Amino acid sequence: MAPGGAKKNILERLDAGEVVLGDGGYVFELEKRGYVKAGPWTPEAASEHPEAVRQLHREFLRAGADILQTFTFYASDDKLENRGNVQSFTGKQINEAACDLAREVADEGDALVAGGISQTPSYLSCKSEAEVKAIFMKQIEVYVQRKVDFLIAEYFEHVEEAEWAVQVLKTTGKPVAVTLCIGPEGDLNGVSPGDCAVRLVQAGADIVGVNCHFDPVTAVKTVKMMMEGVGKAGLKAHYMVQPLAYHTPDCNCQGFIDLPEFPFALEPRVLTRWDMQKYARDAYDSGIRYIGGCCGFQPYHTRALAEELAAERGFLPAASEKHGSWGSGLEMHTKPWVRARARRDYWEKLPPASGRPHCASMSTPAGWGVTKGHAQLMQNKEPTTQDELKVLFGKSVTNQ
């Protein structure tokens, strides 16, 4: 807390060199819990089932998150009504409900609320800059009214659209963060991570980085490339990273959405809590101070970040009351061979088995090469037809 009891804002925290922990993957986690539909991945649960969203916010807060993002991923009007996705609530109602839920829980601790916008079907359909910016503007009007603490433009595959998003967000006067869902190969037009970061900082972003699509190893590597590019350009910024909780060494430039296991068979790739502690340390040692997670990240993963960086942060989260450091709680286990695992040396060196003897360790990504402007990505309010699906099924067989 700042003097007088007010919360320090995001830039005050980062300027002071503090570690800021993000939350995790709401869309994937709420899909598993039965509140989000895989496919559209839209956040109407904020209005339909606020208790579910509130509970997940609380779990991330208890696990150590300093930031609670509004559950507004893909909450632009064009996405909410894309491909037959029928809503009982307007985009404005969903965004308002999400802001209120995040604020309610954030104020139970010292957390900040970040209002988020994401890439749009309109951009992929080659709509004009003015049309895409109008969609962003409509969404952030709610964030300004609801007084979120800062804004995040997240999950952008094309740096051009991310630049447009930053330019709109900057009109609010609030701090602006932006994350691309890219890896070391850059955005889907081949713009390098370093050049992407330079363009985003020049557009006005205070914090730049990556989220989603790739695992922590790849994401940290990509942010380091961004840092190098910004430094060479003589610019300054803060950096953030919010990767997947899945191992993705076999991904191409599109990331995990190209994996044949996406989205319903990714569980064998989930990082352990010990993997997460290594990620937290690697990110911190790389100079990144805003460290969080995206799809697949559950509260126990966030707790692992908080425990690894407890010395730097000066405290442990409330959830650590039920978790002994490096398995020390196993000292109380009934079985002696399990008690023997109550040590860091055991868990840090363990190569976990998958229990799937007939499965490969890696997959072959789809690699269709479909991106902005392709007919199959054009916005369409009507449901996908069976004839359209037959074409895709045939192409899938050919390309896998």
Side-chain angles (χ1 to χ4, degrees), residues 19 21-22 59-60 62-65 271-281 291-292 297-313 315-317 319-320 323-326:
V19 175
L21 295 186
E59 291 177 26
F60 281 120
R62 177 175 168 79
L271 275 73
T272 69
R273 64 195 69 195
W274 317 120
D275 293 328
M276 288 299 179
Q277 292 204 204
K278 184 178 186 305
Y279 152 55
R281 181 55 54 193
I291 304 169
F297 249 78
Q298 296 181 356
Y300 80 98
H301 290 131
T302 303
R303 181 181 63 189
L305 307 184
E307 291 183 346
E308 175 62 30
L309 298 173
E312 289 79 3
R313 300 177 80 215
F315 63 94
L316 285 167
S320 292
H323 186 247
S325 176
W326 289 101

Side-chain angles (χ1 to χ4, degrees), residues 166-186:
V166 170
Q167 289 162 4
V168 172
L169 297 185
K170 287 297 288 185
T171 65
T172 67
K174 295 180 179 292
V176 173
V178 57
T179 52
L180 304 177
C181 48
I182 65 171
E185 294 181 51

Side-chain angles (χ1 to χ4, degrees), residues 64-324:
D66 298 303
I67 309 298
L68 296 182
Q69 289 187 222
T70 56
F71 183 45
T72 51
F73 178 75
Y74 275 168
S76 60
D77 285 341
D78 61 338
K79 180 61 179 176
L80 289 169
E81 60 187 17
N82 199 34
R83 296 198 174 274
N85 192 27
V86 178
Q87 296 292 341
S88 300
F89 297 89
T90 66
K92 185 174 186 288
Q93 290 172 323
I94 293 169
N95 284 291
E96 287 175 340
C99 288
D100 293 345
L101 289 167
R103 174 60 68 196
E104 176 189 346
V105 178
D107 285 350
E108 294 172 4
D110 190 34
L112 300 176
V113 174
I117 62 173
S118 314
Q119 67 179 5
T120 63
S122 292
Y123 180 82
L124 296 177
S125 300
C126 299
K127 295 292 180 68
S128 69
E129 177 179 350
E131 289 173 299
V132 174
K133 283 186 171 181
I135 291 170
F136 294 145
M137 184 62 73
K138 188 174 182 180
Q139 200 171 355
I140 67 168
E141 286 173 355
V142 174
Y143 301 152
V144 172
Q145 292 167 0
R146 286 305 201 264
K147 298 181 179 180
V148 300
D149 297 304
F150 69 103
L151 299 164
I152 298 179
E154 67 167 357
Y155 196 81
F156 286 85
E157 296 172 309
H158 301 86
V159 68
E160 180 183 57
E161 187 183 15
E163 286 178 291
W164 296 352
V166 170
Q167 289 162 4
V168 172
L169 297 185
K170 287 297 288 185
T171 65
T172 67
K174 295 180 179 292
V176 173
V178 57
T179 52
L180 304 177
C181 48
I182 65 171
E185 294 181 51
D187 83 345
L188 295 190
N189 287 326
V191 181
S192 71
D195 288 344
C196 283
V198 169
R199 289 172 59 172
L200 295 171
V201 174
Q202 290 175 334
D206 302 294
I207 309 164
V208 296
V210 299
N211 82 296
C212 206
H213 275 206
F214 295 93
D215 60 25
V217 171
T218 307
V220 170
K221 177 181 178 180
T222 305
V223 176
K224 289 169 71 174
M225 294 170 73
M226 288 181 156
M227 297 168 77
E228 182 179 356
V230 171
K232 285 183 177 179
L235 302 171
K236 292 184 178 180
H238 293 292
Y239 298 93
M240 65 184 293
V241 60
Q242 301 208 105
L244 300 172
Y246 305 110
H247 292 285
T248 62
D250 42 351
C251 280
N252 57 22
C253 66
Q254 281 267 22
F256 82 141
I257 58 172
D258 265 14
L259 293 175
E261 299 96 334
F262 176 87
F264 298 130
L266 290 164
E267 284 81 359
R269 294 174 176 265
V270 173
L271 275 73
T272 69
R273 64 195 69 195
W274 317 120
D275 293 328
M276 288 299 179
Q277 292 204 204
K278 184 178 186 305
Y279 152 55
R281 181 55 54 193
D282 290 345
Y284 183 87
D285 289 347
S286 297
I288 304 168
R289 292 297 177 266
Y290 187 144
I291 304 169
C294 200
C295 296
F297 249 78
Q298 296 181 356
Y300 80 98
H301 290 131
T302 303
R303 181 181 63 189
L305 307 184
E307 291 183 346
E308 175 62 30
L309 298 173
E312 289 79 3
R313 300 177 80 215
F315 63 94
L316 285 167
S320 292
E321 296 170 5
K322 297 294 184 180
H323 186 247

Side-chain angles (χ1 to χ4, degrees), residues 23-76:
D23 49 12
Y26 287 86
V27 172
F28 264 47
E29 183 60 21
L30 288 169
E31 190 278 332
K32 291 184 176 73
R33 298 184 185 192
Y35 299 103
V36 166
K37 180 181 286 187
W41 302 110
T42 47
E44 58 270 16
S47 293
E48 292 177 344
H49 299 284
E51 74 287 350
V53 179
R54 182 185 295 111
Q55 175 62 27
L56 190 52
H57 278 316
R58 284 203 174 113
E59 291 177 26
F60 281 120
L61 181 69
R62 177 175 168 79
D66 298 303
I67 309 298
L68 296 182
Q69 289 187 222
T70 56
F71 183 45
T72 51
F73 178 75
Y74 275 168
S76 60

